[in-house]
Amino acid sequence: MTFKAIFLDRDGTLSGEDSVKIGERDRVIAKLLGRDTFAQTYEEKMGIFWRVSKFPGLWPIKTLEQEKLFWIRWFQILLEDNGIRDGTVDLAAELREKYTYYKMMAPFPETERVLKSLKRRGYPMGVISDTFPSLEVSIKEMGLARYFESFTASSLVGAGKPDPRIFNAALASLGVMAKDSIFVDDTKEEADGARQQGFTSFLIDRKLKQPDFSNWAIGTLDHLLDFLDK
């Protein structure tokens, strides 16, 4: 089958957390708090996230400026929860500038090599992500934007995966149909949702050493090239 476009998720598919950058951020925060170390659980991070989302004008996030203010407020609450009372807005603005979430990401080792190969083969590509308006900015930050023609963020569409609306918005952005498109995501519900919409859709599970094409599962983006070469 000849495909006309390829769409990829960002987090867990194109990129993961950069432990070096996260370590640097946490050391800076620890120093501000007068501690030797600092770390947060996922639950703690999301707890602050939902508290900030209740502030007037900060949710839903539809602009880069709103997003900036959201993360400044997020860092401010983090500092205040840990005992800092003075100058928290300025400190939070500095932390957001240096350590906003997408600056803590790094592409997986094979990501750029595979994207380069797909681009060379002539596939238009798009990113579909449940994320903020800075999706394109985040892809630029990782040096990958030149491989993509479209960036579909749930915050701007008003719906996240596996809602058909976000997939339809991505398809419209490249002028293609689901039956002519591939999608890759690291979340089963979202990969399955795309397949139900007509995509040839793969779950990427990085624990897999070999692809399982019969069950629509791959272990690395390299396996996507293997599928296209079949």
Side-chain angles (χ1 to χ4, degrees):
M1 178 178 178
T2 300
F3 294 97
K4 295 181 179 178
I6 296 176
F7 296 92
L8 302 116
D9 169 53
R10 183 188 64 190
D11 304 338
T13 301
L14 292 172
S15 62
E17 290 188 337
D18 187 320
S19 60
V20 173
K21 293 176 182 177
I22 289 172
E24 176 191 332
R25 179 200 63 195
D26 289 350
R27 284 190 295 273
V28 168
I29 293 173
K31 187 175 180 180
L32 288 172
L33 300 178
R35 300 179 186 175
D36 292 331
T37 61
F38 173 80
Q40 276 184 306
T41 65
Y42 175 79
E43 289 74 21
E44 288 169 337
K45 293 174 185 175
M46 291 307 297
I48 297 177
F49 184 98
W50 293 119
R51 285 162 65 188
V52 178
S53 70
K54 292 181 171 60
F55 279 80
L58 293 184
W59 197 268
I61 299 174
K62 295 293 185 182
T63 68
L64 291 173
E65 183 61 23
Q66 272 185 302
E67 182 178 338
K68 175 183 174 180
L69 295 173
F70 181 96
W71 286 109
I72 289 173
R73 187 61 179 154
W74 189 94
F75 278 111
Q76 185 181 2
I77 289 178
L78 182 153
L79 295 171
E80 291 173 351
D81 281 356
N82 285 276
I84 295 181
R85 293 291 178 264
D86 297 326
T88 56
V89 174
D90 289 341
L91 286 173
E94 291 176 15
L95 289 170
R96 194 234 43 112
E97 179 64 27
K98 292 181 180 178
Y99 304 115
T100 193
Y101 80 98
Y102 58 77
K103 294 186 178 181
M104 302 296 101
M105 298 176 182
F108 289 109
E110 84 281 9
T111 295
E112 184 162 18
R113 171 170 42 79
V114 172
L115 292 178
K116 189 177 294 185
S117 177
L118 293 171
K119 191 76 169 179
R120 191 164 51 241
R121 298 176 189 211
Y123 292 107
M125 288 184 282
V127 184
I128 308 175
S129 182
D130 290 344
T131 192
F132 301 104
S134 60
L135 175 58
E136 183 173 358
V137 176
S138 73
I139 300 298
K140 286 180 179 177
E141 182 81 15
M142 290 187 281
L144 303 176
R146 64 185 178 277
Y147 299 110
F148 295 99
E149 283 72 42
S150 76
F151 305 87
T152 306
S154 60
S155 58
L156 299 179
V157 175
K161 297 170 289 180
D163 191 303
R165 287 175 291 174
I166 191 168
F167 292 120
N168 289 337
L171 292 168
S173 72
L174 293 186
V176 294
M177 299 177 67
K179 67 182 180 64
D180 300 319
S181 304
I182 289 176
F183 177 63
V184 182
D185 200 295
D186 68 313
T187 301
K188 187 177 188 303
E189 180 185 13
E190 297 173 4
D192 290 349
R195 197 174 306 110
Q196 291 166 8
Q197 297 302 312
F199 287 81
T200 296
S201 179
F202 292 98
L203 171 68
I204 185 166
D205 178 353
R206 293 184 176 275
K207 296 189 295 294
L208 292 179
K209 300 301 181 184
Q210 297 296 327
D212 183 1
F213 295 137
S214 62
N215 287 310
W216 305 107
I218 59 177
T220 169
L221 292 175
D222 285 308
H223 293 158
L224 180 57
L225 299 180
D226 295 338
F227 174 78
L228 292 168
D229 288 338
K230 286 176 59 179

